[in-house]
């Protein structure tokens, strides 16, 4: 079974910009802040490229030119960059657009601001998905509360592994955050399996400047 990685990197960056203004910092998209000798987004991409997947798609939108200028050219043959058109769309639309540019059976779905999620954790999610009794109706997801078989999709988001076409069916014509869509998928009887993080920092997204500082510690 083929697996595509889809990384969403198309957001408005509004919370980070607000924090930077309040701290009198130079305005800079969170995805191109320094992280592990690269940028946040490059670190996320590197971890994904090392996972057991067949391709990597990065979805850009807001600040696309700024992000493209900041990342290295090393990904020319490894990563397919696509851009939302129109730009001002929700996360679910960005993910749908990424999935639409893949022909793989399954998708590892990641947000660009998750540089601490390890290749090991991504591979564990893939392994659980592919070894489940019914992979097409299983969502293997980084846990937020419980691990193992989950009894709710409350509070869940990326990263996760899902059957690409089935997921697209839920995302099409939606323009929303992911959690309401995941709850709908759960209500339709899909099995959700929570993967334990390798370390606590894997559970953090970079929404605010304080989140970024905490990840650097």
């Amino acid at each position: 079974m083929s697996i595509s990685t889809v990384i969403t990197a198309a957001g408005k960056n509004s919370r980070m910009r607000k924090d930077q203004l309040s701290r009198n910092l130079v305005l800079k998209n969170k995805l191109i802040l320094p992280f592990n000798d690269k940028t946040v987004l490059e670190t996320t991409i590197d971890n994904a490229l090392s996972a057991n997947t067949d391709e990597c798609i990065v979805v850009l939108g807001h600040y696309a030119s700024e992000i493209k200028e900041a990342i290295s050219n090393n990904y020319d043959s490894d990563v397919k960059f696509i851009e939302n058109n129109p730009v001002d769309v929700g996360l679910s639309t960005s993910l749908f657009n990424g999935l639409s540019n893949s022909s793989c059976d399954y998708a590892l779905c990641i947000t660009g601001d998750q540089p601490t999620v390890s290749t090991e954790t991504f591979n564990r999610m893939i392994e659980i998905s592919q070894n489940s009794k019914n992979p097409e109706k299983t969502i293997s997801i980084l846990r937020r509360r419980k691990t193992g078989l989950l009894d709710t999709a409350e509070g869940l988001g990326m990263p996760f592994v899902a059957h690409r076409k089935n997921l697209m069916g839920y995302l099409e014509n939606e323009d929303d955050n992911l959690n309401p869509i995941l709850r709908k998928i759960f209500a339709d009887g899909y099995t959700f399996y929570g993967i334990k993080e390798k370390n606590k920092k894997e559970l953090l997204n970079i929404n605010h400047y304080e989140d970024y500082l905490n990840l650097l510690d």
Side-chain angles (χ1 to χ4, degrees):
M1 290 180 280
S2 55
I3 302 178
S4 173
T5 298
V6 177
I7 301 174
T8 58
K12 291 181 179 179
N13 196 50
S14 53
R15 286 174 287 191
M16 180 63 75
R17 286 175 66 86
K18 184 178 178 182
D19 287 354
Q20 289 170 334
L21 284 170
S22 70
R23 292 167 179 256
N24 293 317
L25 297 170
V26 175
L27 290 178
K28 200 169 186 179
N29 189 288
K30 64 182 179 179
L31 297 178
I32 59 174
L33 290 171
F35 195 88
N36 289 351
D37 300 322
K38 290 197 174 183
T39 63
V40 168
L41 180 56
E42 285 173 306
T43 306
T44 303
I45 291 172
D46 288 347
N47 290 341
L49 286 175
S50 297
N52 298 326
T53 60
D54 299 287
E55 66 175 359
C56 182
I57 297 168
V58 175
V59 184
L60 301 174
H62 293 278
Y63 307 102
S65 58
E66 182 183 340
I67 291 170
K68 277 185 173 179
E69 285 174 17
I71 62 177
S72 69
N73 294 321
N74 300 341
Y75 300 117
D76 284 351
S77 60
D78 297 319
V79 179
K80 181 195 293 185
F81 290 94
I82 67 164
E83 295 187 29
N84 289 333
N85 184 16
V87 169
D88 197 15
V89 295
L91 180 57
S92 61
T93 301
S94 291
L95 185 54
F96 180 85
N97 290 343
L99 295 168
S100 300
N101 280 271
S102 170
S103 58
C104 290
D105 302 313
Y106 289 82
L108 167 63
C109 305
I110 309 169
T111 63
D113 62 354
Q114 295 180 316
T116 56
V117 183
S118 63
T119 299
E120 184 179 331
T121 296
F122 290 145
N123 283 338
R124 179 67 177 150
M125 292 164 63
I126 293 166
E127 178 188 355
I128 291 296
S129 166
Q130 303 305 283
N131 291 333
S132 63
K133 289 182 179 178
N134 186 359
E136 291 190 15
K137 291 291 184 75
T138 297
I139 304 286
S140 176
I141 194 162
L142 182 63
R143 71 103 186 183
R144 296 307 190 273
R145 299 167 190 159
K146 289 175 60 179
T147 59
L149 196 62
L150 302 181
D151 55 10
T152 179
E154 294 289 334
L156 296 176
M158 291 196 272
F160 63 85
V161 175
H163 185 268
R164 184 180 69 87
K165 285 188 176 178
N166 286 356
L167 179 58
M168 287 177 67
Y170 284 94
L171 295 171
E172 192 168 15
N173 300 320
E174 295 284 347
D175 194 36
D176 202 348
N177 286 323
L178 276 182
N179 186 254
I181 295 166
L182 289 172
R183 293 202 307 267
K184 187 182 296 185
I185 295 171
F186 184 88
D188 282 348
Y190 278 64
T191 297
F192 276 61
Y193 196 95
I195 303 300
K196 183 171 174 55
E197 70 283 2
K198 186 177 178 182
N199 60 67
K200 293 297 181 186
K201 286 187 177 180
E202 289 196 329
L203 299 177
L204 293 177
N205 287 21
I206 303 174
N207 292 318
H208 296 279
Y209 198 77
E210 194 66 33
D211 300 330
Y212 171 65
L213 295 179
N214 287 338
L215 289 187
L216 293 180
D217 286 342

